[in-house]
Amino acid sequence: MSLEYTRNFCIIAHIDHGKSTLADKLLLETHTIAAREMNYNQVLDNMDIEQERGITIKLHAIMMKYQASDGNEYTYNMVDTPGHVDFTYEVSRSLAACEGAILVVDATQGVEAQTITNLYLAIDAGLDIIPVLNKVDLQSAMIDDVSNQVIELLGCKKEDILLASAKAGIGISELLEAIQTRIPAPKGDPNGTLRCLIFDSIFDSYRGSIVYMRVFDGTISVGDEILFMSNKTKYRVEEIGTLRLGRESRKTLTAGDVGYLIAGVKNVKDTRVGDTITSFRNPATEPISGFKESKPMVFAGLYPQNAEAYTELRDSLDKLSLNDSSLQFEPETSIALGFGFRCGFLGLLHMEIIQERLEREFNQSLVTTVPNVEYRVITETGETIEVDNPSSMPAPGSFDYVEEPYVKAQIITPSEYVGAIMKLATERRAIYKTTTYIDATRADIQYEFPLSEIIFDFYDKLKSVSRGYASLDYEFLEYRQSDLVKLDILLNGDPVDAFSTIVHRDKAFEWGKKLCTKLRELIPRHMFEVAIQAAIGAKIIARESVRAMRKDVTAKCYGGDISRKRKLLEKQKEGKKRMKQIGRIEVPQEAFLAILQIGD
Amino acid sequence: MEPSLQSGALILRNVSLYFHIPFCEKKCIYCDFYSIEDQSSQSRFVDAICAEVDLKIRAYPELYGANVETIFFGGGTPSLLTPEELGKIISQIKKYFVIADDYEFTLECNPGTVSFEKLLAYRALGVNRLSFGVQSFHEDELLWLSRIHTADEARLAVAYAREAGFDNVNIDLMFSLPNQTKEKLQYSIEQALSLGTEHISAYNLTVEEGTPLNRMVKLQQVHELSVDDASVLFEYAQTTLIGSGYFQYEISNYARSAELKCKHNLVYWDGYKEYVSFGPSAHEFFNGERSWNISSLDSYLDRVHSGKLPRNNSEHPNESERRTEVLFCGLRSTGVDRNQFLNNFGEELGLHSEIKPLIAEGLLKVDADVIKLTSKGYRFCDAIVIRLMTPELISL
């Protein structure tokens, strides 16, 4: 395959701006897939959860053959990118595998923060951008306004913007032609030292880790001995090939190609996104730049509902992590919840996905604790202790100060919501940086936020104050000193470690009060009174109580009531399974996430 | 009662019979039993229920000659039956069954539908227990409940029963009506006590699905009493009745003495005993199967007319479902028999890990034979059953 006739590209779009539909249309138009194979589902998103949430989580790639108007056949490799703020690093690695990007903007919505972030990543990676306005056939399309936003962003000409409607099939052939003419062919030396970039890997229970990669230099063949540069592990190539709807094996892949590799690697953790594969005998001196260890930002305890399911949960997490190298977990013990795992996630969405997969695919009943960020406790001696679980926070007075992670956040919003967003940001301890206007109606506001303030419900709040129009993106900035305290919750006098949170001192009283009130609503009445207290150290700052239940009985039960009554009891019993027994108190699972439901 | 089939030397199968009489002068807002106000097909119905007895014996020949310990006519309003109609049904019973010497035969009466003559005739037919749906002695409450009788008519009905020779009479009372105060309940209970009936059933008003009351609650025209307020009334009824010489043998049932408990209802709460039922919507438990008739008089008449059992559906509870049934039936009344439980489910309930804490909380009493609720325990019956619902098989 000649480099000259290859194009590697990806699609950058905000959720719901039509990326998947557009991708499907490209596949149809190039006969990569027949309409009858398309089914209802979009091809690129092939996990249930992705489809339900309308977002792409895992990366994939697909190859198309395109007969261009210059009479030549081109090989197009379309590399998919995940579309959520939790996965910025993964996006950057996918972009690195390409020479060009299609920027899809919904003509009815305009540019969103996430699109901009990814666009900047693409520009930083030196990609050529083809801007596409999608949904131009809709009544509500604002073609001129959105075109101006794009021109402002890219510094392109109006003529450079393609108008399309993926749904209606408008502009698809123009786009296919533009890919050939506007995206450069890959560069690289087929005879040079082998360097391949891993942009994704998945786990197959028969074949081990299946690596998705882009060959930058050299040629790789079945039987070659290869080296993963980040951890210096050696493997032998069992199979390589290109990616159609399924895998198509080849004897060799060469510079410029996108494809897959199977080398008997037993664990996706050994085939890390961003790592470079080189030749074992003739290794490259430098890896492809940009590799980072993926670092979890959000932590939570996952506990089995029933203690007996601990081993099962561990096996399930093991299996999930085979497929998800960014999921981290280690055993932990909670006095309230027993044996479980402290898990690290890229973000809150990542956490929700893992939770849902554990529940749906692995049938696990989970109790999840309130997610938190990782704090740094600096001791008197200057030593740093990393704390990823509030209950392991050292006692006040035993350390010098605490640091928490800050992020750089970008919010794009129609200008009429700027005021409301600024108010919300202030409540969340944000530090305002700048506002720039993308066009007459859209503002781009830059903030620095404590990460802990946005991992909970900030995104939902942002959406609600802006009627869904504002969008958010953020990236890690640095650790900064903060006045943080540990807030404990006591039930009938006993502290429940799983309820402990770390909050800013200024907010502690209010949070304590709200948390107690929320728990009073959530904890059912028992045959005895349940006292709920919030405390900082030994000081009680709030108190509520759940009054004792005085009666729980059905008045009448005769011959005709027995079946019904039995079913009712069975249902109530089933409901109890969603309760965690802490001492004599039954606490519903959602109570452990009560803090997330506390309104501002 | 006139002798029926002759009992031979065989050990007879014991059974209880329930007859559902689906007619009412007026439907009460809270009632979810099947009944209709149109009484025009009452005589056809009586023929049909007699035919159903024939059909049942044909379907279950093993019922033939069974020993009937209790008979219960419920409804609806069984006291709408004329003595002739009741007599017809009783002849059918006698045609196929042996009536035990110490049988109990209860008929539910609406105080607004009885006369001395009628009760006298019922008595002559073998009815030996009457259950009056009195509910309240306040006119406003009776009106709100859409009862068709006054408090005086209720008093009179009990007097007629006495006069007709009934020495086993129950009255139903209902409490926790919306806005009901303790004083109002106190009056009704005092009035009931003054009548000196052998048995009092005192029910907490339950808002059942599909009733007019349920609609009123949903539309917020009526506000249910809070659980706390209702439990105050429950406790009040409990202490007052017990203090007046009645003893509580079920959540809502009180008798003057152990012999005066309602034997028929005890069959339901026994959890193991069999009962066979007739009439639309009637439920039975026989040969390990629970089945129930269709809840429509028209379909019922059609089905029986075409020679088919008017059954709607049935289920065969599995062992774990049976265990639950035995638990909640037993606990809500006279207790769970430990030996019988062990024999049926291979489990010594007395060793269940929840038993000790429940005793310590004052909710349960356990002796060598029976596990039963305390009077406080009665108030928490459902919660207690749930705690005991997971079987604990202790391997010996």
Side-chain angles (χ1 to χ4, degrees):
Chain A
M1 206 184 297
S2 165
L3 288 178
E4 197 186 328
Y5 299 113
T6 301
R7 296 292 182 271
N8 297 324
F9 65 94
C10 55
I11 304 177
I12 296 172
H14 189 70
I15 297 162
D16 291 337
H17 280 199
K19 179 171 83 170
S20 299
T21 316
L22 185 71
D24 286 353
K25 282 291 152 65
L26 297 178
L27 298 177
L28 277 173
E29 186 81 13
T30 55
H31 308 290
T32 309
I33 180 170
R36 73 189 135 75
E37 293 174 289
M38 190 68 81
N39 265 330
Y40 170 74
N41 298 323
Q42 289 161 334
V43 174
L44 282 181
D45 299 349
N46 62 12
M47 276 202 310
D48 281 356
I49 298 169
E50 289 183 29
Q51 275 168 8
E52 274 171 34
R53 293 173 175 247
I55 49 170
T56 310
I57 301 150
K58 288 301 288 184
L59 314 172
H60 302 277
I62 193 161
M63 189 179 90
M64 304 172 237
K65 293 288 186 188
Y66 174 63
Q67 202 66 46
S69 59
D70 65 5
N72 295 312
E73 189 188 67
Y74 286 80
T75 298
Y76 282 3
N77 288 305
M78 178 164 65
V79 175
D80 198 13
T81 55
H84 189 274
V85 58
D86 288 354
F87 304 99
T88 306
Y89 170 68
E90 285 73 8
V91 173
S92 79
R93 297 304 81 204
S94 293
L95 296 174
C98 304
E99 278 76 36
I102 300 169
L103 171 70
V104 180
V105 180
D106 186 328
T108 68
Q109 303 281 328
V111 174
E112 309 267 5
Q114 197 195 329
T115 322
I116 297 182
T117 309
N118 288 350
L119 177 68
Y120 287 158
L121 286 173
I123 292 170
D124 287 348
L127 268 53
D128 282 277
I129 313 292
I130 305 175
V132 175
L133 254 53
N134 193 22
K135 309 190 189 177
V136 293
D137 58 328
L138 295 185
Q139 283 282 312
S140 51
M142 308 172 289
I143 297 176
D144 287 340
D145 291 352
V146 179
S147 293
N148 287 335
Q149 290 175 9
V150 171
I151 292 165
E152 184 79 15
L153 260 180
L154 289 176
C156 64
K157 295 197 211 73
K158 188 155 189 174
E159 308 74 76
D160 294 335
I161 302 171
L162 295 182
L163 302 184
S165 165
K167 215 162 205 161
I170 299 166
I172 302 301
S173 49
E174 290 82 353
L175 176 58
L176 281 167
E177 191 64 20
I179 292 167
Q180 184 264 116
T181 56
R182 290 166 63 175
I183 294 175
K187 295 185 190 69
D189 179 3
N191 301 312
T193 307
L194 181 68
R195 290 204 308 170
C196 311
L197 171 71
I198 300 177
F199 62 83
D200 193 18
S201 63
I202 60 162
F203 186 78
D204 178 291
S205 42
Y206 299 105
R207 308 299 307 270
S209 178
I210 297 171
V211 175
Y212 293 81
M213 61 172 194
R214 153 79 191 271
V215 186
F216 275 83
D217 290 302
T219 299
I220 185 169
S221 305
V222 173
D224 284 356
E225 285 182 325
I226 51 166
L227 185 72
F228 289 87
M229 291 184 79
S230 74
N231 52 7
K232 305 277 181 286
T233 49
K234 177 190 141 189
Y235 287 94
R236 186 182 293 274
V237 179
E238 288 175 5
E239 185 182 326
I240 47 176
T242 53
L243 296 154
R244 302 287 283 180
L245 261 191
R247 298 191 293 266
E248 267 178 23
S249 77
R250 297 257 187 110
K251 291 224 160 50
T252 62
L253 288 176
T254 185
D257 285 343
V258 170
Y260 72 93
L261 171 142
I262 297 171
V265 184
K266 293 284 172 279
N267 193 329
V268 284
K269 293 216 153 62
D270 285 346
T271 56
R272 281 181 279 189
V273 169
D275 197 5
T276 302
I277 299 172
T278 189
S279 160
F280 177 69
R281 293 192 182 265
N282 178 24
T285 47
E286 286 297 319
I288 298 158
S289 62
F291 174 72
K292 276 197 284 192
E293 300 271 352
S294 83
K295 195 162 163 40
M297 302 282 271
V298 173
F299 298 81
L302 296 190
Y303 289 82
Q305 180 65 39
N306 299 308
E308 311 90 71
Y310 174 79
T311 320
E312 242 180 80
L313 177 58
R314 189 190 58 211
D315 293 347
S316 308
L317 281 166
D318 268 332
K319 280 184 194 142
L320 264 184
S321 70
L322 284 177
N323 227 330
D324 184 343
S325 56
S326 40
L327 168 65
Q328 293 188 359
F329 63 96
E330 55 184 44
E332 75 170 2
T333 315
S334 153
I335 301 159
L337 302 175
F339 293 102
F341 298 92
R342 174 89 349 201
C343 301
F345 309 96
L346 296 175
L348 209 59
L349 178 82
H350 186 218
M351 167 174 150
E352 282 172 23
I353 290 165
I354 297 293
Q355 249 175 288
E356 271 189 51
R357 293 190 66 187
L358 285 169
E359 285 179 349
R360 281 199 216 175
E361 296 169 33
F362 295 92
N363 234 339
Q364 299 294 303
S365 297
L366 297 175
V367 176
T368 313
T369 64
V370 173
N372 56 270
V373 300
E374 187 166 63
Y375 298 93
R376 284 184 184 162
V377 177
I378 315 299
T379 65
E380 300 287 358
T381 57
E383 206 185 324
T384 302
I385 307 164
E386 295 192 332
V387 173
D388 63 9
N389 182 346
S391 65
S392 48
M393 186 79 160
S398 67
F399 52 85
D400 190 3
Y401 61 92
V402 186
E403 291 182 343
E404 65 175 329
Y406 269 69
V407 294
K408 201 170 99 186
Q410 176 185 37
I411 296 167
I412 308 254
T413 175
S415 39
E416 65 255 48
Y417 305 116
V418 168
I421 290 170
M422 293 221 169
K423 183 169 173 283
L424 175 64
T426 310
E427 286 164 4
R428 301 302 180 103
R429 300 193 279 134
I431 300 163
Y432 171 76
K433 295 314 250 190
T434 61
T435 304
T436 49
Y437 281 84
I438 305 170
D439 61 19
T441 59
R442 289 169 81 84
D444 171 347
I445 321 173
Q446 305 272 342
Y447 278 109
E448 287 169 8
F449 269 99
L451 176 61
S452 64
E453 294 285 345
I454 57 175
I455 58 169
F456 293 156
D457 56 349
F458 179 74
Y459 191 64
D460 294 338
K461 286 271 154 40
L462 179 68
K463 285 284 177 193
S464 95
V465 301
S466 67
R467 297 172 183 247
Y469 285 114
S471 58
L472 164 76
D473 199 42
Y474 61 84
E475 61 179 324
F476 175 71
L477 189 61
E478 62 185 353
Y479 271 85
R480 287 183 188 167
Q481 186 174 342
S482 263
D483 190 7
L484 300 166
V485 293
K486 184 173 142 209
L487 181 68
D488 292 317
I489 295 290
L490 292 75
L491 294 183
N492 279 358
D494 296 324
V496 179
D497 56 0
F499 280 129
S500 294
T501 49
I502 291 170
V503 294
H504 194 266
R505 189 180 300 276
D506 294 349
K507 293 188 168 188
F509 273 87
E510 202 191 330
W511 275 64
K513 225 164 72 192
K514 284 181 173 170
L515 196 51
C516 287
T517 311
K518 191 75 209 170
L519 287 172
R520 189 195 60 200
E521 287 165 25
L522 292 171
I523 294 175
R525 293 176 76 174
H526 287 62
M527 290 187 210
F528 45 86
E529 183 178 285
V530 179
I532 305 163
Q533 293 166 305
I536 299 171
K539 188 178 167 206
I540 303 294
I541 59 165
R543 185 197 152 101
E544 290 283 348
S545 68
V546 181
R547 280 182 305 142
M549 167 176 70
R550 295 192 52 178
K551 179 160 107 38
D552 180 8
V553 61
T554 315
K556 89 185 163 58
C557 183
Y558 295 102
D561 303 313
I562 290 172
S563 297
R564 191 171 58 145
K565 179 72 195 156
R566 188 190 69 228
K567 283 171 190 147
L568 206 68
L569 285 165
E570 280 164 355
K571 214 169 125 193
Q572 286 174 329
K573 174 92 197 301
E574 201 54 35
K576 294 262 177 200
K577 283 195 182 157
R578 299 207 56 87
M579 301 276 183
K580 191 81 194 176
Q581 188 96 20
I582 298 179
R584 284 175 64 212
I585 303 167
E586 283 170 343
V587 181
Q589 285 178 35
E590 58 266 34
F592 295 99
L593 293 171
I595 213 163
L596 301 184
Q597 300 167 25
I598 294 174
D600 292 272
Chain B
M1 202 178 239
E2 296 286 306
S4 52
L5 287 173
Q6 292 302 306
S7 51
L10 285 166
I11 296 172
L12 296 177
R13 183 165 183 159
N14 291 328
V15 71
S16 287
L17 305 180
Y18 175 76
F19 290 83
H20 190 78
I21 311 302
F23 302 102
C24 283
E25 296 265 292
K26 190 169 170 219
K27 271 220 73 127
C28 300
I29 55 166
Y30 56 85
C31 175
D32 72 333
F33 289 105
Y34 174 69
S35 74
I36 54 172
E37 291 176 3
D38 174 8
Q39 296 162 38
S40 57
S41 44
Q42 184 164 312
S43 71
R44 279 178 61 210
F45 163 75
V46 171
D47 292 339
I49 205 165
C50 289
E52 192 192 355
V53 178
D54 294 326
L55 290 169
K56 188 86 83 184
I57 298 294
R58 220 169 295 155
Y60 300 104
E62 65 269 40
L63 267 178
Y64 186 76
N67 182 49
V68 173
E69 296 186 296
T70 68
I71 301 170
F72 198 102
F73 274 59
T77 311
S79 52
L80 286 175
L81 290 175
T82 63
E84 292 68 36
E85 288 169 334
L86 181 61
K88 262 192 190 175
I89 303 172
I90 291 172
S91 312
Q92 274 299 87
I93 299 172
K94 287 189 189 161
K95 192 159 107 193
Y96 297 116
F97 297 97
V98 175
I99 309 292
D101 290 343
D102 57 347
Y103 77 94
E104 174 194 276
F105 186 160
T106 306
L107 190 126
E108 285 182 339
C109 300
N110 185 312
T113 63
V114 295
S115 61
F116 169 68
E117 289 72 23
K118 197 189 243 180
L119 295 186
L120 196 63
Y122 286 166
R123 178 81 201 150
L125 286 165
V127 176
N128 58 15
R129 185 172 182 274
L130 293 180
S131 174
F132 288 103
V134 172
Q135 317 309 356
S136 167
F137 287 89
H138 293 285
E139 303 305 336
D140 59 338
E141 288 181 351
L142 288 169
L143 201 66
W144 184 81
L145 289 166
S146 53
R147 300 296 297 176
I148 57 166
H149 56 87
T150 61
D152 273 342
E153 283 173 310
R155 293 186 189 98
L156 193 61
V158 173
Y160 288 154
R162 294 298 188 213
E163 196 62 27
F166 286 97
D167 56 3
N168 193 353
V169 174
N170 167 59
I171 56 181
D172 283 348
L173 288 181
M174 200 167 260
F175 61 87
S176 295
L177 310 186
N179 303 317
Q180 192 179 42
T181 58
K182 198 161 113 182
E183 289 65 36
K184 279 200 112 167
L185 175 61
Q186 184 181 356
Y187 175 78
S188 282
I189 291 180
E190 280 166 7
Q191 291 298 303
L193 289 171
S194 73
L195 293 176
T197 52
E198 287 66 33
H199 194 282
I200 294 176
S201 300
Y203 299 101
N204 192 97
L205 173 67
T206 309
V207 180
E208 304 282 1
E209 283 294 319
T211 57
L213 177 59
N214 186 248
R215 276 195 299 281
M216 291 155 73
V217 169
K218 276 186 186 156
L219 294 172
Q220 304 207 324
Q221 295 164 344
V222 164
H223 297 281
E224 275 187 273
L225 222 53
S226 73
V227 181
D228 285 349
D229 291 341
S231 67
V232 169
L233 297 184
F234 185 98
E235 280 175 66
Y236 175 75
Q238 225 178 3
T239 33
T240 314
L241 290 169
I242 292 170
S244 309
Y246 288 83
F247 91 99
Q248 187 179 17
Y249 68 98
E250 199 259 354
I251 309 282
S252 312
N253 284 279
Y254 301 82
R256 275 224 177 277
S257 71
E259 299 73 52
L260 292 168
K261 290 183 282 196
C262 175
K263 289 184 199 160
H264 185 83
N265 286 339
L266 283 172
V267 168
Y268 297 141
W269 300 321
D270 176 81
Y272 303 96
K273 287 187 172 163
E274 297 184 317
Y275 46 95
V276 175
S277 303
F278 309 89
S281 82
H283 285 62
E284 70 183 25
F285 179 56
F286 190 66
N287 288 340
E289 187 179 51
R290 293 195 182 280
S291 58
W292 50 96
N293 282 348
I294 39 185
S295 296
S296 150
L297 181 60
D298 289 340
S299 318
Y300 173 84
L301 294 175
D302 287 351
R303 286 277 271 282
V304 174
H305 186 71
S306 59
K308 291 191 200 100
L309 277 178
R311 181 167 288 178
N312 178 10
N313 219 332
S314 66
E315 63 169 11
H316 204 106
N318 62 29
E319 187 175 307
S320 120
E321 290 167 337
R322 287 288 299 131
R323 182 186 179 281
T324 302
E325 290 176 359
V326 165
L327 258 185
F328 73 73
C329 287
L331 287 180
R332 74 178 290 118
S333 58
T334 50
V336 176
D337 184 300
R338 295 174 66 171
N339 256 320
Q340 206 174 11
F341 199 86
L342 181 62
N343 291 338
N344 279 273
F345 307 107
E347 181 186 348
E348 173 45 278
L349 190 60
L351 299 180
H352 195 284
S353 60
E354 285 288 342
I355 295 283
K356 261 191 191 159
L358 284 167
I359 295 171
E361 290 163 52
L363 301 168
L364 215 60
K365 287 182 284 200
V366 178
D367 65 25
D369 303 317
V370 181
I371 295 169
K372 61 191 291 188
L373 298 182
T374 61
S375 57
K376 180 184 173 193
Y378 276 135
R379 295 206 319 265
F380 298 105
C381 182
D382 290 5
I384 293 165
V385 170
I386 286 169
R387 283 170 67 174
L388 292 168
M389 258 171 81
T390 307
E392 288 180 5
L393 298 172
I394 289 133
S395 52
L396 299 169

